[in-house]
Amino acid sequence: MNFFLTEEQNMVRQAIRELAEKEIAPRSAEFNRKHEFPWPNFKLLAENGYLNMHLPEPYGGGMDWVSYAIVIEELARACAVTAVIYEVHCSLHSEAIFHFGSEEQKQKYLPRLTRGEILGAYALTEPGAGSDAAAIRTTAIRDGDSYILNGEKTFITNGGQAGLYVVFARTNPDPSVGHRGISAFLVEADTPGFSVGKPMEKMGLHASHTTTLHFEDCRIPASQLLGKEGEGFKIAMAILDRGRIGIAAQAVGITQAALEDSIKFAKERHTFGKPIAEHQAIAWKIADMATDLEAARLLLYRAAFLMQQGVRATKEISMAKLFASEMAMKHTVEAVQIHGGYGYMQEYRVERLMREAKITQLYEGTSEIQRLVISRALLRD
Ligand code: CAA
């Protein structure tokens, strides 16, 4: 048992923190204000070797999962938008190809994804199927050497900006086969019959583009099937395990930013003749925030450590995602409270952090779905 990060993990944190503080944090508010997709940040991460850093060489950087979690955490501390764009590209998208793709698919796409020449996305959710992911209705019907896709996806992160999509669809539309009728595909953005809706207006993460996807007789080569027919749902779930570590890391990074802003403000702001930090009402909020943040971080690093060992850690990952996101929401609200009226103003970052924290309780499985996963694992055992 060892609670110390390795020298390498500490170096990773120092390097990404420097880069994020210098290049990413200062322009985050502006990208969000303009609803502009932060391509320079993505390119910067590519140039500095962060894309797919946790995949083994030659496809990635050969780094460990705790280091990867630290990178997402530090990105979120600077810019939650950049963190989710990065996480979806690396985990939900590239990992699906790395773990389930054919050798040909890996060679065709992974080097370009790792160099940042194309951005990846993951398309599972549909207007009628969010938490109940096995209820998706998009179809992919085999026709000779092709599949023909029809249907609609929604809430797709990186939608419209991605060059390649991992898409889940029913190869067997018979409802009685349930999740076993679902398969996974790789769809290139310029495929005829594939189109993307306008970026949706969201509560937060304004610079991250979230769209619908439309498939109208969209014909793709049969070689774009990812894994085997009927394995799609298990691929979706196995990949979400990995993605949820990323969202836990994002939530930890957001809470860290809220804590730092709260401490700074509490020391500067005076009421009744002293800094508000010296009023117990405020000091205890900061103590609780820091304690919950450390607990969330420990759950996150344990989940990442287990992933690194190659053991299935679905329950522990869901615990990390659940706790980290609930704490991010709770404590960003408290951070706004500590800032008083200033906290409600866009000039102060905590206003944005509070709106960003909310999504961590929703995407990649709501808090209720994490509790379902955890309780099922406990009751089954
Ligand atoms: N790894 C591997 N296999 C898994 C698995 C996992 N983590 N979880 C389930 N499976 C397998 C099961 O073993 C089972 O296999 P068998 O039939 O052979 O036994 C099969 O998958 C079906 O499992 P369940 O019976 O548990 O499936 P279910 O229909 O009850 O649903 C669920 C389970 C956990 C509720 C699932 O639907 C779920 O995770 N829902 C949430 C969806 C979600 O997170 N969406 C996020 C979209 S992406 C996103 O949000 C990205 C973004 O914007 C940033």
Side-chain angles (χ1 to χ4, degrees):
M1 192 77 185
N2 181 351
F3 285 98
F4 293 107
L5 296 178
T6 63
E7 201 183 323
E8 192 179 51
Q9 288 160 351
N10 277 320
M11 280 165 58
V12 167
R13 183 185 303 279
Q14 200 186 334
I16 186 67
R17 182 170 282 203
E18 267 172 31
L19 190 74
E21 281 183 351
K22 190 161 162 250
E23 306 278 356
I24 294 176
R27 48 196 188 198
S28 182
E30 185 70 357
F31 278 125
N32 278 297
R33 199 177 56 73
K34 293 182 176 164
H35 293 231
E36 183 182 330
F37 192 86
W39 276 109
N41 294 351
F42 183 73
K43 296 287 175 201
L44 189 73
L45 293 170
E47 281 157 20
N48 285 275
Y50 287 105
L51 298 186
N52 294 337
M53 60 178 275
H54 63 314
L55 295 187
E57 290 170 6
Y59 295 121
M63 301 292 282
D64 70 291
W65 262 88
V66 173
S67 297
Y68 175 58
I70 288 171
V71 167
I72 299 174
E73 185 189 330
E74 290 296 328
L75 287 177
R77 174 176 171 267
C79 173
V81 162
T82 303
V84 72
I85 292 168
Y86 173 80
E87 182 274 318
V88 167
H89 177 84
C90 297
S91 279
L92 294 190
H93 185 87
S94 299
E95 279 204 72
I97 299 175
F98 177 75
H99 291 288
F100 300 99
S102 64
E103 208 42 53
E104 198 189 330
Q105 288 168 337
K106 287 186 205 177
Q107 282 176 21
K108 184 172 176 193
Y109 294 120
L110 282 177
R112 292 173 64 204
L113 289 160
T114 299
R115 289 196 296 267
E117 289 165 15
I118 38 170
L119 175 72
Y122 172 97
L124 175 65
T125 304
E126 297 184 0
S131 289
D132 184 4
I136 61 167
R137 290 163 76 168
T138 294
T139 53
I141 303 303
R142 181 89 191 218
D143 181 37
D145 283 344
S146 312
Y147 285 94
I148 300 173
L149 274 68
N150 278 290
E152 188 185 347
K153 298 285 173 185
T154 194
F155 302 153
I156 305 306
T157 300
N158 295 346
Q161 304 295 324
L164 189 63
Y165 296 78
V166 170
V167 176
F168 298 90
R170 295 202 150 272
T171 36
N172 186 341
D174 176 358
S176 68
V177 297
H179 72 80
R180 290 191 179 80
I182 296 173
S183 305
F185 298 92
L186 292 168
V187 179
E188 296 186 2
D190 58 2
T191 311
F194 172 76
S195 61
V196 174
K198 284 202 304 258
M200 299 163 116
E201 299 282 343
K202 305 192 293 293
M203 178 188 285
L205 295 184
H206 292 148
S208 152
H209 288 195
T210 308
T211 67
T212 51
L213 308 181
H214 306 271
F215 301 89
E216 286 171 65
D217 291 330
C218 173
R219 184 181 286 272
I220 57 169
S223 58
Q224 295 299 89
L225 175 71
L226 190 64
K228 295 201 183 84
E229 260 200 30
E231 277 186 353
F233 189 75
K234 288 188 186 180
I235 294 175
M237 292 298 114
I239 291 302
L240 275 171
D241 276 355
R242 313 176 97 82
R244 285 168 185 166
I245 295 185
I247 302 306
Q250 186 192 32
V252 166
I254 291 171
T255 314
Q256 177 68 40
L259 175 67
E260 289 172 24
D261 286 9
S262 297
I263 291 174
K264 183 169 179 286
F265 187 85
K267 283 179 169 173
E268 286 168 5
R269 176 77 174 160
H270 285 63
T271 58
F272 308 104
K274 56 185 179 181
I276 61 168
E278 290 178 24
H279 295 298
Q280 201 175 60
I282 302 299
W284 287 18
K285 282 190 200 301
I286 289 173
D288 286 347
M289 200 182 291
T291 306
D292 287 336
L293 173 61
E294 279 309 298
R297 188 174 275 126
L298 287 172
L299 284 174
L300 165 66
Y301 291 175
R302 180 184 65 157
F305 171 82
L306 290 172
M307 184 60 84
Q308 186 64 31
Q309 306 311 305
V311 295
R312 182 165 162 188
T314 302
K315 180 184 72 184
E316 290 79 4
I317 291 166
S318 281
M319 284 175 168
K321 200 267 187 190
L322 171 66
F323 189 75
S325 59
E326 297 281 299
M327 290 309 112
M329 191 68 246
K330 176 176 172 191
H331 291 300
T332 52
V333 170
E334 289 293 53
V336 170
Q337 194 68 22
I338 289 169
H339 282 70
Y342 291 104
Y344 204 65
M345 302 298 141
Q346 291 188 354
E347 191 190 336
Y348 284 80
R349 187 173 60 163
V350 288
E351 178 271 342
R352 189 182 89 210
L353 295 174
M354 189 179 105
R355 289 184 287 102
E356 290 171 342
K358 185 63 208 170
I359 191 63
T360 68
Q361 295 176 300
L362 301 172
Y363 57 22
E364 301 205 21
T366 60
S367 290
E368 290 70 24
I369 288 296
Q370 307 312 321
R371 290 187 175 96
L372 179 85
V373 170
I374 296 163
S375 59
R376 274 187 185 176
L378 290 168
L379 297 170
R380 188 182 57 232
D381 293 347

Short mmCIF file of all heavy atoms in Angstrom, two decimals, residues 234-282:
data_model
loop_
_atom_site.label_atom_id
_atom_site.label_comp_id
_atom_site.label_asym_id
_atom_site.label_seq_id
_atom_site.Cartn_x
_atom_site.Cartn_y
_atom_site.Cartn_z
N LYS A 234 -21.84 -4.69 -25.16
CA LYS A 234 -20.74 -4.96 -24.20
C LYS A 234 -19.56 -4.04 -24.48
O LYS A 234 -18.86 -3.62 -23.56
CB LYS A 234 -20.35 -6.43 -24.26
CG LYS A 234 -21.41 -7.31 -23.64
CD LYS A 234 -20.96 -8.74 -23.50
CE LYS A 234 -22.12 -9.57 -23.02
NZ LYS A 234 -21.78 -10.97 -22.86
N ILE A 235 -19.34 -3.74 -25.75
CA ILE A 235 -18.27 -2.79 -26.10
C ILE A 235 -18.62 -1.43 -25.50
O ILE A 235 -17.80 -0.78 -24.85
CB ILE A 235 -18.10 -2.69 -27.64
CG1 ILE A 235 -17.59 -4.01 -28.20
CG2 ILE A 235 -17.19 -1.52 -28.02
CD1 ILE A 235 -17.50 -4.08 -29.72
N ALA A 236 -19.88 -1.02 -25.68
CA ALA A 236 -20.32 0.28 -25.15
C ALA A 236 -20.10 0.35 -23.64
O ALA A 236 -19.59 1.35 -23.11
CB ALA A 236 -21.80 0.51 -25.47
N MET A 237 -20.44 -0.72 -22.93
CA MET A 237 -20.33 -0.73 -21.47
C MET A 237 -18.86 -0.77 -21.03
O MET A 237 -18.45 -0.06 -20.11
CB MET A 237 -21.07 -1.95 -20.88
CG MET A 237 -22.57 -1.88 -21.02
SD MET A 237 -23.29 -0.48 -20.14
CE MET A 237 -23.90 0.50 -21.49
N ALA A 238 -18.08 -1.63 -21.67
CA ALA A 238 -16.67 -1.75 -21.29
C ALA A 238 -15.95 -0.42 -21.51
O ALA A 238 -15.10 -0.01 -20.72
CB ALA A 238 -16.00 -2.86 -22.10
N ILE A 239 -16.31 0.28 -22.58
CA ILE A 239 -15.66 1.56 -22.87
C ILE A 239 -16.16 2.64 -21.90
O ILE A 239 -15.39 3.50 -21.47
CB ILE A 239 -15.92 1.95 -24.35
CG1 ILE A 239 -15.14 0.99 -25.27
CG2 ILE A 239 -15.54 3.39 -24.64
CD1 ILE A 239 -13.64 0.94 -25.03
N LEU A 240 -17.43 2.55 -21.53
CA LEU A 240 -17.94 3.54 -20.56
C LEU A 240 -17.25 3.39 -19.20
O LEU A 240 -17.04 4.38 -18.50
CB LEU A 240 -19.45 3.42 -20.40
CG LEU A 240 -20.26 4.20 -21.44
CD1 LEU A 240 -21.74 3.84 -21.35
CD2 LEU A 240 -20.08 5.70 -21.29
N ASP A 241 -16.88 2.17 -18.83
CA ASP A 241 -16.09 2.01 -17.59
C ASP A 241 -14.86 2.91 -17.65
O ASP A 241 -14.52 3.59 -16.67
CB ASP A 241 -15.58 0.56 -17.46
CG ASP A 241 -16.62 -0.37 -16.84
OD1 ASP A 241 -17.68 0.13 -16.43
OD2 ASP A 241 -16.35 -1.58 -16.78
N ARG A 242 -14.20 2.90 -18.77
CA ARG A 242 -12.96 3.68 -18.93
C ARG A 242 -13.26 5.17 -18.97
O ARG A 242 -12.57 5.98 -18.36
CB ARG A 242 -12.23 3.21 -20.19
CG ARG A 242 -12.15 1.68 -20.25
CD ARG A 242 -11.53 1.16 -21.51
NE ARG A 242 -10.14 0.86 -21.30
CZ ARG A 242 -9.68 -0.25 -20.76
NH1 ARG A 242 -10.53 -1.20 -20.39
NH2 ARG A 242 -8.41 -0.44 -20.58
N GLY A 243 -14.34 5.51 -19.70
CA GLY A 243 -14.72 6.93 -19.79
C GLY A 243 -15.12 7.51 -18.45
O GLY A 243 -14.82 8.67 -18.14
N ARG A 244 -15.77 6.71 -17.61
CA ARG A 244 -16.26 7.24 -16.32
C ARG A 244 -15.11 7.63 -15.40
O ARG A 244 -15.26 8.53 -14.57
CB ARG A 244 -17.20 6.22 -15.67
CG ARG A 244 -18.56 6.20 -16.37
CD ARG A 244 -19.44 5.03 -15.97
NE ARG A 244 -20.67 5.04 -16.78
CZ ARG A 244 -21.52 4.03 -16.88
NH1 ARG A 244 -21.29 2.90 -16.23
NH2 ARG A 244 -22.60 4.14 -17.64
N ILE A 245 -13.98 6.98 -15.55
CA ILE A 245 -12.79 7.42 -14.79
C ILE A 245 -12.46 8.86 -15.21
O ILE A 245 -12.13 9.71 -14.38
CB ILE A 245 -11.58 6.49 -15.04
CG1 ILE A 245 -11.88 5.09 -14.52
CG2 ILE A 245 -10.31 7.07 -14.40
CD1 ILE A 245 -10.71 4.12 -14.62
N GLY A 246 -12.58 9.11 -16.50
CA GLY A 246 -12.29 10.45 -17.02
C GLY A 246 -13.25 11.49 -16.46
O GLY A 246 -12.84 12.61 -16.13
N ILE A 247 -14.52 11.13 -16.32
CA ILE A 247 -15.48 12.11 -15.79
C ILE A 247 -15.24 12.32 -14.29
O ILE A 247 -15.36 13.45 -13.78
CB ILE A 247 -16.94 11.67 -16.07
CG1 ILE A 247 -17.16 11.50 -17.59
CG2 ILE A 247 -17.94 12.70 -15.50
CD1 ILE A 247 -16.80 12.69 -18.45
N ALA A 248 -14.86 11.27 -13.59
CA ALA A 248 -14.49 11.44 -12.17
C ALA A 248 -13.31 12.41 -12.08
O ALA A 248 -13.29 13.31 -11.23
CB ALA A 248 -14.13 10.08 -11.55
N ALA A 249 -12.34 12.25 -12.98
CA ALA A 249 -11.17 13.13 -12.97
C ALA A 249 -11.57 14.57 -13.30
O ALA A 249 -11.07 15.53 -12.70
CB ALA A 249 -10.13 12.63 -13.98
N GLN A 250 -12.49 14.71 -14.23
CA GLN A 250 -12.96 16.05 -14.58
C GLN A 250 -13.63 16.70 -13.36
O GLN A 250 -13.39 17.88 -13.05
CB GLN A 250 -13.97 15.97 -15.74
CG GLN A 250 -14.40 17.33 -16.24
CD GLN A 250 -15.61 17.25 -17.18
OE1 GLN A 250 -16.46 16.38 -17.05
NE2 GLN A 250 -15.66 18.16 -18.13
N ALA A 251 -14.44 15.92 -12.64
CA ALA A 251 -15.14 16.45 -11.47
C ALA A 251 -14.14 16.85 -10.38
O ALA A 251 -14.30 17.89 -9.73
CB ALA A 251 -16.13 15.40 -10.94
N VAL A 252 -13.10 16.05 -10.20
CA VAL A 252 -12.07 16.38 -9.20
C VAL A 252 -11.37 17.69 -9.60
O VAL A 252 -11.15 18.57 -8.76
CB VAL A 252 -11.06 15.21 -9.05
CG1 VAL A 252 -9.82 15.64 -8.29
CG2 VAL A 252 -11.72 14.03 -8.34
N GLY A 253 -11.06 17.83 -10.87
CA GLY A 253 -10.40 19.07 -11.34
C GLY A 253 -11.27 20.30 -11.14
O GLY A 253 -10.78 21.37 -10.73
N ILE A 254 -12.57 20.16 -11.40
CA ILE A 254 -13.49 21.29 -11.20
C ILE A 254 -13.55 21.66 -9.71
O ILE A 254 -13.50 22.84 -9.34
CB ILE A 254 -14.91 20.92 -11.74
CG1 ILE A 254 -14.89 20.81 -13.27
CG2 ILE A 254 -15.95 21.95 -11.28
CD1 ILE A 254 -16.18 20.24 -13.88
N THR A 255 -13.63 20.66 -8.84
CA THR A 255 -13.70 20.92 -7.39
C THR A 255 -12.40 21.57 -6.90
O THR A 255 -12.42 22.46 -6.05
CB THR A 255 -13.99 19.62 -6.60
OG1 THR A 255 -15.03 18.91 -7.26
CG2 THR A 255 -14.41 19.92 -5.18
N GLN A 256 -11.28 21.11 -7.43
CA GLN A 256 -10.00 21.70 -7.06
C GLN A 256 -9.98 23.20 -7.40
O GLN A 256 -9.55 24.03 -6.60
CB GLN A 256 -8.86 20.98 -7.81
CG GLN A 256 -7.48 21.54 -7.57
CD GLN A 256 -6.99 21.31 -6.15
OE1 GLN A 256 -7.20 20.24 -5.57
NE2 GLN A 256 -6.35 22.32 -5.56
N ALA A 257 -10.48 23.53 -8.59
CA ALA A 257 -10.52 24.93 -8.99
C ALA A 257 -11.43 25.73 -8.06
O ALA A 257 -11.11 26.86 -7.64
CB ALA A 257 -11.01 25.04 -10.44
N ALA A 258 -12.56 25.12 -7.68
CA ALA A 258 -13.51 25.80 -6.78
C ALA A 258 -12.87 26.04 -5.42
O ALA A 258 -13.06 27.10 -4.81
CB ALA A 258 -14.79 24.96 -6.64
N LEU A 259 -12.12 25.06 -4.95
CA LEU A 259 -11.45 25.19 -3.65
C LEU A 259 -10.42 26.32 -3.69
O LEU A 259 -10.38 27.17 -2.79
CB LEU A 259 -10.77 23.87 -3.27
CG LEU A 259 -9.95 23.89 -1.98
CD1 LEU A 259 -10.84 24.08 -0.76
CD2 LEU A 259 -9.14 22.59 -1.82
N GLU A 260 -9.60 26.33 -4.73
CA GLU A 260 -8.56 27.35 -4.83
C GLU A 260 -9.17 28.75 -4.90
O GLU A 260 -8.71 29.68 -4.23
CB GLU A 260 -7.67 27.09 -6.05
CG GLU A 260 -6.78 25.87 -5.86
CD GLU A 260 -6.04 25.47 -7.12
OE1 GLU A 260 -5.83 26.32 -8.00
OE2 GLU A 260 -5.67 24.28 -7.24
N ASP A 261 -10.21 28.90 -5.71
CA ASP A 261 -10.86 30.22 -5.82
C ASP A 261 -11.49 30.63 -4.50
O ASP A 261 -11.46 31.80 -4.12
CB ASP A 261 -11.94 30.20 -6.92
CG ASP A 261 -11.34 30.19 -8.33
OD1 ASP A 261 -10.10 30.04 -8.44
OD2 ASP A 261 -12.10 30.33 -9.30
N SER A 262 -12.06 29.65 -3.79
CA SER A 262 -12.73 29.95 -2.51
C SER A 262 -11.72 30.40 -1.47
O SER A 262 -11.98 31.37 -0.73
CB SER A 262 -13.48 28.71 -1.99
OG SER A 262 -14.49 28.36 -2.90
N ILE A 263 -10.58 29.73 -1.40
CA ILE A 263 -9.55 30.11 -0.43
C ILE A 263 -9.05 31.52 -0.72
O ILE A 263 -8.93 32.37 0.17
CB ILE A 263 -8.40 29.07 -0.43
CG1 ILE A 263 -8.89 27.74 0.15
CG2 ILE A 263 -7.18 29.60 0.34
CD1 ILE A 263 -7.88 26.60 0.07
N LYS A 264 -8.77 31.78 -1.99
CA LYS A 264 -8.24 33.10 -2.37
C LYS A 264 -9.25 34.21 -1.99
O LYS A 264 -8.90 35.19 -1.35
CB LYS A 264 -7.98 33.11 -3.89
CG LYS A 264 -7.37 34.37 -4.43
CD LYS A 264 -6.91 34.13 -5.88
CE LYS A 264 -6.30 35.38 -6.47
NZ LYS A 264 -7.30 36.40 -6.81
N PHE A 265 -10.51 33.98 -2.38
CA PHE A 265 -11.53 35.01 -2.12
C PHE A 265 -11.74 35.19 -0.61
O PHE A 265 -11.87 36.32 -0.12
CB PHE A 265 -12.85 34.60 -2.80
CG PHE A 265 -13.91 35.66 -2.72
CD1 PHE A 265 -13.95 36.68 -3.66
CD2 PHE A 265 -14.86 35.65 -1.70
CE1 PHE A 265 -14.93 37.67 -3.60
CE2 PHE A 265 -15.84 36.64 -1.63
CZ PHE A 265 -15.87 37.65 -2.59
N ALA A 266 -11.76 34.07 0.12
CA ALA A 266 -12.04 34.14 1.57
C ALA A 266 -10.94 34.88 2.32
O ALA A 266 -11.19 35.48 3.36
CB ALA A 266 -12.21 32.73 2.12
N LYS A 267 -9.74 34.85 1.78
CA LYS A 267 -8.64 35.58 2.43
C LYS A 267 -8.68 37.07 2.09
O LYS A 267 -8.27 37.91 2.89
CB LYS A 267 -7.29 35.01 1.98
CG LYS A 267 -6.94 33.69 2.63
CD LYS A 267 -5.61 33.25 2.06
CE LYS A 267 -5.01 32.09 2.80
NZ LYS A 267 -3.81 31.61 2.09
N GLU A 268 -9.18 37.38 0.90
CA GLU A 268 -9.18 38.78 0.45
C GLU A 268 -10.40 39.57 0.92
O GLU A 268 -10.30 40.76 1.23
CB GLU A 268 -9.13 38.82 -1.09
CG GLU A 268 -7.76 38.45 -1.66
CD GLU A 268 -7.79 38.21 -3.16
OE1 GLU A 268 -8.86 38.41 -3.80
OE2 GLU A 268 -6.75 37.78 -3.69
N ARG A 269 -11.53 38.90 0.97
CA ARG A 269 -12.79 39.59 1.27
C ARG A 269 -12.95 39.80 2.78
O ARG A 269 -12.84 38.84 3.55
CB ARG A 269 -13.96 38.75 0.72
CG ARG A 269 -15.31 39.28 1.02
CD ARG A 269 -15.65 40.42 0.11
NE ARG A 269 -17.02 40.85 0.30
CZ ARG A 269 -17.45 42.05 -0.07
NH1 ARG A 269 -16.63 42.91 -0.64
NH2 ARG A 269 -18.73 42.37 0.10
N HIS A 270 -13.22 41.03 3.18
CA HIS A 270 -13.40 41.32 4.60
C HIS A 270 -14.87 41.60 4.92
O HIS A 270 -15.56 42.28 4.16
CB HIS A 270 -12.59 42.56 4.99
CG HIS A 270 -11.12 42.28 5.10
ND1 HIS A 270 -10.35 41.88 4.03
CD2 HIS A 270 -10.28 42.34 6.16
CE1 HIS A 270 -9.10 41.70 4.42
NE2 HIS A 270 -9.02 41.97 5.71
N THR A 271 -15.35 41.08 6.05
CA THR A 271 -16.63 41.52 6.62
C THR A 271 -16.45 41.61 8.13
O THR A 271 -15.65 40.86 8.71
CB THR A 271 -17.79 40.53 6.34
OG1 THR A 271 -17.46 39.26 6.87
CG2 THR A 271 -18.15 40.41 4.87
N PHE A 272 -17.16 42.49 8.74
CA PHE A 272 -17.13 42.67 10.20
C PHE A 272 -15.70 42.76 10.72
O PHE A 272 -15.33 42.15 11.72
CB PHE A 272 -17.91 41.54 10.91
CG PHE A 272 -19.31 41.37 10.36
CD1 PHE A 272 -19.65 40.33 9.51
CD2 PHE A 272 -20.29 42.31 10.68
CE1 PHE A 272 -20.93 40.21 8.99
CE2 PHE A 272 -21.58 42.18 10.18
CZ PHE A 272 -21.89 41.14 9.32
N GLY A 273 -14.87 43.45 9.94
CA GLY A 273 -13.53 43.78 10.42
C GLY A 273 -12.47 42.70 10.25
O GLY A 273 -11.35 42.84 10.74
N LYS A 274 -12.78 41.61 9.54
CA LYS A 274 -11.73 40.60 9.32
C LYS A 274 -12.02 39.82 8.03
O LYS A 274 -13.16 39.83 7.53
CB LYS A 274 -11.62 39.65 10.51
CG LYS A 274 -12.88 38.94 10.92
CD LYS A 274 -12.63 38.14 12.20
CE LYS A 274 -13.89 37.43 12.65
NZ LYS A 274 -13.73 36.67 13.87
N PRO A 275 -11.00 39.11 7.52
CA PRO A 275 -11.25 38.32 6.30
C PRO A 275 -12.35 37.29 6.57
O PRO A 275 -12.39 36.73 7.68
CB PRO A 275 -9.91 37.61 6.04
CG PRO A 275 -8.90 38.31 6.86
CD PRO A 275 -9.62 38.94 8.01
N ILE A 276 -13.18 37.02 5.55
CA ILE A 276 -14.28 36.06 5.79
C ILE A 276 -13.74 34.67 6.11
O ILE A 276 -14.42 33.87 6.73
CB ILE A 276 -15.31 36.03 4.63
CG1 ILE A 276 -14.67 35.61 3.31
CG2 ILE A 276 -16.05 37.35 4.52
CD1 ILE A 276 -15.68 35.30 2.21
N ALA A 277 -12.49 34.40 5.71
CA ALA A 277 -11.87 33.10 6.05
C ALA A 277 -11.79 32.91 7.56
O ALA A 277 -11.73 31.77 8.05
CB ALA A 277 -10.47 33.02 5.45
N GLU A 278 -11.80 34.00 8.30
CA GLU A 278 -11.70 33.88 9.76
C GLU A 278 -13.07 33.72 10.43
O GLU A 278 -13.15 33.59 11.65
CB GLU A 278 -10.94 35.09 10.33
CG GLU A 278 -9.47 35.02 9.96
CD GLU A 278 -8.66 36.20 10.46
OE1 GLU A 278 -9.07 36.85 11.45
OE2 GLU A 278 -7.63 36.50 9.84
N HIS A 279 -14.11 33.74 9.64
CA HIS A 279 -15.44 33.40 10.18
C HIS A 279 -15.63 31.89 10.04
O HIS A 279 -15.43 31.33 8.96
CB HIS A 279 -16.56 34.12 9.40
CG HIS A 279 -16.51 35.61 9.52
ND1 HIS A 279 -16.66 36.26 10.72
CD2 HIS A 279 -16.33 36.56 8.59
CE1 HIS A 279 -16.59 37.56 10.52
NE2 HIS A 279 -16.37 37.78 9.24
N GLN A 280 -16.04 31.28 11.13
CA GLN A 280 -16.16 29.81 11.11
C GLN A 280 -17.12 29.31 10.02
O GLN A 280 -16.90 28.26 9.41
CB GLN A 280 -16.64 29.35 12.48
CG GLN A 280 -16.34 27.92 12.78
CD GLN A 280 -16.74 27.57 14.20
OE1 GLN A 280 -17.91 27.68 14.57
NE2 GLN A 280 -15.78 27.15 14.99
N ALA A 281 -18.18 30.10 9.77
CA ALA A 281 -19.16 29.68 8.75
C ALA A 281 -18.49 29.44 7.40
O ALA A 281 -18.89 28.54 6.65
CB ALA A 281 -20.24 30.75 8.61
N ILE A 282 -17.48 30.22 7.10
CA ILE A 282 -16.77 30.09 5.82
C ILE A 282 -15.64 29.06 5.95
O ILE A 282 -15.45 28.21 5.07
CB ILE A 282 -16.21 31.46 5.37
CG1 ILE A 282 -17.34 32.50 5.24
CG2 ILE A 282 -15.41 31.33 4.07
CD1 ILE A 282 -18.41 32.16 4.22
#
